[in-house]
Amino acid sequence: MATSDNFLKTPSKTPMNDKVSSSARKHNHQTTFSSSSSSTKSRFDAYNRLQSAAVAFGEKLPIPEIVALGGQSDGKSSLLEALLGFRFNVREVEMGTRRPLILQMVHDPTALDPRCRFQEEDSEEYGSPIVLASAIADTIKSRTEALLKKTQTAVSPKPIVMRAEYAHCPNLTIIDTPGFVLKAKKGEPETTPEEILSMVKSLASPPHRILVFLQQSSVEWCSSLWLDAIRDIDPTFRRTLIVVSKFDNRLKEFTDKWEVDRYLSASGYLGDNIHPFFVALPKERTTVSNEEFRRQISQVDADVIRHLQQNVKGGYDEEKYKSHIGFGCLRDYLESELQKRYKEATPATLALLEQRCSEVTAQLTSMDSKIQATSDVAHLRRSSMMFASSICNQVGALIDGAADPDPEQWGRTTEEEKSESGMGNWPGVISEIKPPNATLRLYGGAAFERVMHEFRCAAYSVECPPVSREKVANIILAHAGRGGGKGISEAAAEIARAAARSWLAPLLDTACERLAFVLKNLFDLAMEKNQRQHFDCDYGKKNGDMEGYVGFHAALRRSYNCFIKDLAKQCKQLVRHHLDSVTSSYSQVCYENDLLFSANSSYRNQTSASMSLDLSDQENIPPENNDRETTPGKLVKAAGEGEASAMTVPETPSPDQPRDGNYVLKKENGNFLEGGGGRKRHPRIQMNQGNGKVLGNLLGQNGGTTTYNEICCSAAQHFARIRQVLVERSVTSALNSGFLTPCRERLMVALGVDLFGVNDEKFMDMFVAPGAIDMLENERESLKKRQKILDSCLTEFKAVARSL
């Protein structure tokens, strides 16, 4: 389709041009007049002040706002300038690819020239007004580059906030978002497109925001790259306004009415109820006055309508589509739609403002109390002691069993406990230990019990280590001349005791460290649990958290950690005492007469009672035959209940009577019979008889089962009995009483002595650090300022609500 050479260019003075200029002036006058109507203006002013407060103080208020979305170079920045009514070359700084721009448009009839101010980074204050358009663009560019250099990123979600006061702009808040891109620019991270998409979705997700999605007219709806991204945010387009930008680029393709109407309907892809706006804006980037820029915008609108009416055969369906063609229609719709949203949101906003004013007043009262408390030692002592007591109660509750806070977030698996505690695997244990419920995230008493069971599994996986012949010889020969025939059994017992002290002691230390780690983690859980459950009855806010007293929180944590550390140290000493006791030669009689009960049977009975419920899909089962040691020699089984008892009897064999490894004594009617035949067993050869023969057998001479093998077998039996007595009778109760009982009964006393058993001067060091009072005063002033602004907004909204 042929078009006029002068299409969309600035026309010369003609009657039509005069008519267009008159229309443009009429449109600007009507906009200014409509924005000045009493009820509309009061509503604009009220929301404008509230928007400023929300941005300044980070308030999360559901204020109707407009978010501009679209691909890079789809015309968002040009639309922004058109809404403002003046150019500031935002496109030249590539703002759309770096940081969001929150533009607060304030309709001020007295501002004949635009006044722009930027909110300071990390402050609610605004800088001095900027008048020059080039200075505005330079400020945006410098702030963007400074932040990206500081954060070492290509994109940042932290917005730039610009406030524009102008007689020719509406009262709108526009958020210009980074444009969608398919590929990162050279020098930027490959993840930049995904970061931009995630950032834009976050900005567009709040339901009170109106989405303005721009797409160039040259792109077919079926080929739209970003329409699906908008559907992810707003599936039904209920709050989405679709704008076809650069509409003039498509006009030349239309020759007949049906072509235009089919394109304008877009029903095949967007649905019958979706009516896009079609907008074209001036392309010339030459420097012109603000008035001329606004005149050009109106001129382009008029040229688009004229082209559709005169250059398309049959024109187009004006009744249906004329209200959606041109920037002027889009601007009018945005103003009316935002005004409608303002009106609908006023009751809810008023209620929320009243709530926020009450909350800020409560915060201010609390801050006054804190400042006053800096000189009220008694008040601080009372409050901090109540807080510490509450934390101790929460620790006790967590030990007894709790499901709050969420274990999936706060709990740990066995592997995570081992990794974070730095303990790793159990010392001396080669095989992987996986107790029941190892994959579940547990804390408190449940995690404590799981570690206890894991210790049992680790202990029962440790066997009596092999002993060299030299060590055996040095022990047994030292007893050779003492007589009594107990040299072999005493040697075996001594070897077992030494092995138990060497191999079980590290396991005990590791168990204490792991249990201490479980209890140390309860401090953060107790703080979280306390913060959720305790509320200030007077103000409806969380209380008891001593918020702001960083020194006190640090001291409380340090005192708690020291208490757990001391418990671990005491428990190590306690279980070492039990180990020394059970490995003492005087305690041998305690387990020597218990040979009829196997370590395996006892272990299974104990563990089935203490940890029979396995909620996970993994289980570590202790060795089935703990009495079968891997040390040299044959071990004789203990008979089951109701059977004749069979025992391995350590002895010193005669060199004249070699025997094989199956030689067993059976007890029948009180007499021992040889397992290999019916002959009576010869009396045991005493250690003081034939020492040379004993030594010969020890060294493996003459063949058969040697004394060395018998000692190793007997030592393995003794080791198993020591391990069983230690694990089942001593350590379990010692660790429970050593860790859990003090946490329930002595924790508050220990914390009280450490934190509060000091003079007032030292006590106040936790609360009044250098500069702390100044910080509290500054925070109080900020709260007073926020309270004043919110109260002012509340007063305005009450007046707005009365006018509805």
Side-chain angles (χ1 to χ4, degrees):
M1 180 186 68
T3 59
S4 170
D5 293 337
N6 293 327
F7 180 69
L8 295 186
K9 292 184 179 180
T10 303
S12 58
K13 288 290 182 179
T14 63
M16 174 61 75
N17 297 333
D18 291 338
K19 182 178 180 181
V20 170
S21 299
S22 175
S23 175
R25 286 193 295 272
K26 180 179 180 182
H27 173 74
N28 290 332
H29 174 73
Q30 288 176 343
T31 300
T32 303
F33 178 79
S34 63
S35 297
S36 302
S37 63
S38 57
S39 60
T40 300
K41 187 175 185 305
S42 63
R43 212 164 17 240
F44 274 140
D45 291 342
Y47 272 106
N48 177 61
R49 286 175 56 79
L50 188 58
Q51 287 165 346
S52 299
V55 173
F57 298 109
E59 294 283 352
K60 301 298 183 181
L61 300 174
I63 304 168
E65 296 166 326
I66 298 173
V67 180
L69 317 113
Q72 197 171 38
S73 302
D74 277 346
K76 297 188 308 300
S77 299
S78 296
L79 179 64
L80 198 71
E81 291 179 333
L83 287 170
L84 278 170
F86 67 94
R87 279 178 172 159
F88 57 95
N89 298 322
V90 66
R91 290 182 295 183
E92 295 182 5
V93 298
E94 295 184 345
M95 187 57 225
T97 63
R98 302 299 183 89
R99 293 177 66 181
L101 174 64
I102 297 180
L103 180 55
Q104 299 173 323
M105 300 183 192
V106 181
H107 175 76
D108 184 357
T110 65
L112 300 181
D113 292 317
R115 296 192 300 265
C116 297
R117 294 185 295 164
F118 286 89
Q119 186 174 335
E120 300 294 338
E121 302 277 13
D122 303 318
S123 171
E124 70 273 11
E125 300 295 333
Y126 284 79
S128 302
I130 299 176
V131 178
L132 295 177
S134 59
I136 296 172
D138 291 341
T139 301
I140 294 174
K141 184 176 181 179
S142 62
R143 288 198 173 195
T144 300
E145 292 177 348
L147 180 64
L148 298 182
K149 182 178 180 181
K150 180 180 178 181
T151 58
Q152 296 294 307
T153 57
V155 177
S156 173
K158 187 175 182 179
I160 294 176
V161 181
M162 186 178 87
R163 180 185 178 92
E165 300 169 350
Y166 194 31
H168 301 285
C169 74
N171 282 277
L172 298 175
T173 294
I174 303 289
I175 302 176
D176 185 22
T177 63
F180 300 126
V181 292
L182 290 174
K183 187 177 180 180
K185 294 196 315 183
K186 185 177 181 180
E188 292 182 346
E190 294 295 328
T191 58
T192 299
E194 290 77 14
E195 292 178 8
I196 291 176
L197 182 60
S198 176
M199 181 198 312
V200 172
K201 284 186 175 182
S202 177
L203 290 170
S205 293
H208 59 272
R209 287 180 171 164
I210 303 171
L211 310 185
V212 176
F213 171 59
L214 283 84
Q215 180 170 280
Q216 296 187 46
S217 62
S218 58
V219 178
E220 299 293 342
W221 293 115
C222 60
S223 304
S224 176
L225 295 174
W226 309 117
L227 192 60
D228 289 339
I230 303 304
R231 279 198 175 99
D232 289 341
I233 303 171
D234 183 22
T236 61
F237 297 123
R238 182 181 60 84
R239 56 188 180 91
T240 300
L241 185 67
I242 296 178
V243 177
V244 178
S245 62
K246 305 180 182 180
F247 183 48
D248 52 305
N249 293 337
R250 193 67 183 258
L251 288 178
K252 61 184 178 181
E253 299 180 10
F254 303 132
T255 56
D256 294 321
K257 180 177 182 296
W258 68 269
E259 293 178 312
V260 178
D261 290 345
R262 184 181 64 176
Y263 177 78
L264 296 178
S265 68
S267 58
Y269 301 98
L270 300 180
D272 295 334
N273 296 326
I274 307 300
H275 302 291
F277 279 83
F278 300 87
V279 174
L281 293 170
K283 294 182 178 180
E284 295 182 4
R285 301 301 299 177
T286 56
T287 302
V288 295
S289 66
N290 294 334
E291 184 178 359
E292 176 63 18
F293 174 60
R294 294 191 298 275
R295 192 194 64 79
Q296 289 180 2
I297 294 174
S298 297
Q299 179 67 54
V300 170
D301 281 353
D303 287 344
V304 168
I305 296 297
R306 183 185 61 191
H307 180 87
L308 291 173
Q309 291 173 340
Q310 299 177 6
N311 294 1
V312 175
K313 186 178 180 180
Y316 71 103
D317 191 340
E318 296 189 28
E319 182 179 355
K320 187 173 183 180
Y321 299 117
K322 186 174 183 179
S323 61
H324 285 70
I325 296 176
F327 169 77
C329 294
L330 174 63
R331 171 177 166 150
D332 291 344
Y333 178 83
L334 286 177
E335 287 190 84
S336 63
E337 181 66 18
L338 196 62
Q339 181 66 23
K340 175 185 173 184
R341 298 292 182 96
Y342 281 161
K343 186 175 182 179
E344 293 173 349
T346 298
T349 305
L350 178 60
L352 186 60
L353 265 177
E354 291 176 339
Q355 177 186 341
R356 286 299 299 134
C357 288
S358 298
E359 291 173 351
V360 171
T361 300
Q363 292 174 3
L364 188 59
T365 302
S366 176
M367 185 60 62
D368 289 337
S369 299
K370 285 184 179 182
I371 295 175
Q372 182 181 1
T374 56
S375 59
D376 189 348
V377 180
H379 172 77
L380 278 178
R381 282 186 179 274
R382 181 170 59 256
S383 299
S384 56
M385 288 182 70
M386 290 177 61
F387 180 79
S389 176
S390 179
I391 294 299
C392 293
N393 291 335
Q394 299 294 356
V395 169
L398 291 167
I399 290 175
D400 292 337
D404 181 54
D406 185 4
E408 293 186 11
Q409 177 183 357
W410 295 87
R412 290 174 174 82
T413 64
T414 294
E415 287 302 318
E416 289 171 343
E417 280 183 6
K418 292 165 65 175
S419 175
E420 295 180 27
S421 64
M423 295 293 102
N425 294 327
W426 293 87
V429 179
I430 300 177
S431 60
E432 186 177 4
I433 303 298
K434 289 187 177 180
N437 306 310
T439 58
L440 298 184
R441 295 184 178 276
L442 305 178
Y443 58 66
F448 188 95
E449 179 59 27
R450 184 175 61 186
V451 173
M452 292 290 292
H453 191 77
E454 187 181 353
F455 162 72
R456 295 188 190 99
C457 295
Y460 277 103
S461 67
V462 175
E463 306 291 348
C464 184
V467 186
S468 67
R469 294 177 181 272
E470 285 76 10
K471 289 184 180 180
V472 173
N474 274 278
I475 295 174
I476 191 171
L477 294 182
H479 294 275
R482 299 181 185 179
K486 294 186 178 181
I488 292 178
S489 61
E490 290 179 356
E494 188 170 336
I495 290 171
R497 291 194 293 268
R501 285 191 290 266
S502 175
W503 289 86
L504 297 181
L507 295 182
L508 296 173
D509 289 346
T510 300
C512 291
E513 292 292 340
R514 286 281 303 279
L515 293 173
F517 175 78
V518 169
L519 295 179
K520 188 179 294 185
N521 290 334
L522 294 187
F523 184 84
D524 288 329
L525 275 81
M527 291 284 288
E528 178 70 16
K529 194 174 178 68
N530 185 75
Q531 190 176 23
R532 292 182 181 184
Q533 293 184 359
H534 289 74
F535 294 87
D536 188 332
C537 298
D538 294 330
Y539 307 115
K541 63 180 288 291
K542 292 178 180 178
N543 187 29
D545 57 0
M546 302 291 287
E547 185 180 0
Y549 295 122
V550 179
F552 170 72
H553 282 285
L556 180 62
R557 182 185 294 272
R558 175 191 55 78
S559 183
Y560 178 84
N561 289 341
C562 288
F563 176 77
I564 300 299
K565 185 177 180 181
D566 290 341
L567 287 186
K569 182 178 180 181
Q570 295 169 12
C571 284
K572 285 182 181 180
Q573 295 173 348
L574 181 60
V575 293
R576 282 297 186 97
H577 170 74
H578 284 291
L579 179 61
D580 293 340
S581 176
V582 78
T583 56
S584 169
S585 59
Y586 297 101
S587 66
Q588 183 174 343
V589 68
C590 296
Y591 54 83
E592 201 171 45
N593 295 328
D594 197 26
L595 296 178
L596 293 178
F597 298 92
S598 69
N600 281 326
S601 176
S602 176
Y603 172 78
R604 285 191 294 269
N605 291 337
Q606 292 286 343
T607 55
S608 64
S610 61
M611 200 70 175
S612 61
L613 179 61
D614 182 4
L615 303 178
S616 68
D617 56 356
Q618 300 182 21
E619 183 173 3
N620 189 81
I621 303 177
E624 288 294 335
N625 295 307
N626 284 311
D627 286 338
R628 294 184 179 181
E629 308 298 337
T630 58
T631 51
K634 303 289 185 177
L635 180 62
V636 181
K637 299 179 182 178
E641 295 183 6
E643 299 179 5
S645 175
M647 303 171 57
T648 297
V649 181
E651 63 174 330
T652 304
S654 169
D656 300 329
Q657 295 175 327
R659 53 188 172 83
D660 59 23
N662 297 322
Y663 189 83
V664 179
L665 295 182
K666 293 185 178 179
K667 186 174 182 180
E668 295 182 3
N669 299 324
N671 298 318
F672 284 95
L673 300 178
E674 295 180 7
R679 298 184 298 111
K680 288 281 186 176
R681 176 78 173 106
H682 290 281
R684 179 182 296 177
I685 299 176
Q686 302 295 327
M687 284 299 298
N688 58 350
Q689 297 178 359
N691 290 335
K693 295 179 181 180
V694 173
L695 180 59
N697 282 330
L698 179 65
L699 298 177
Q701 299 172 2
N702 299 324
T705 302
T706 65
T707 303
Y708 168 72
N709 290 343
E710 290 186 14
I711 292 175
C712 289
C713 290
S714 183
Q717 282 186 308
H718 281 292
F719 181 87
R721 296 298 181 269
I722 291 172
R723 179 183 60 193
Q724 177 186 355
V725 172
L726 182 69
V727 173
E728 304 300 340
R729 301 182 186 178
S730 303
V731 172
T732 301
S733 60
L735 291 177
N736 276 283
S737 61
F739 276 111
L740 301 185
T741 301
C743 284
R744 292 190 181 98
E745 299 178 358
R746 293 195 288 110
L747 177 58
M748 183 57 205
V749 175
L751 297 183
V753 171
D754 190 20
L755 297 176
F756 311 117
V758 295
N759 58 39
D760 290 346
E761 182 179 358
K762 187 173 181 180
F763 173 79
M764 291 301 293
D765 288 342
M766 293 186 292
F767 299 92
V768 187
I773 296 180
D774 292 338
M775 291 178 62
L776 291 175
E777 290 286 354
N778 292 337
E779 188 174 352
R780 180 177 180 273
E781 289 302 316
S782 178
L783 282 173
K784 287 183 66 176
K785 187 175 181 180
R786 179 181 299 198
Q787 182 191 44
K788 182 179 179 181
I789 291 178
L790 290 178
D791 283 342
S792 175
C793 290
L794 179 60
T795 301
E796 287 187 76
F797 266 88
K798 286 181 178 179
V800 169
R802 286 193 294 267
S803 66
L804 291 178

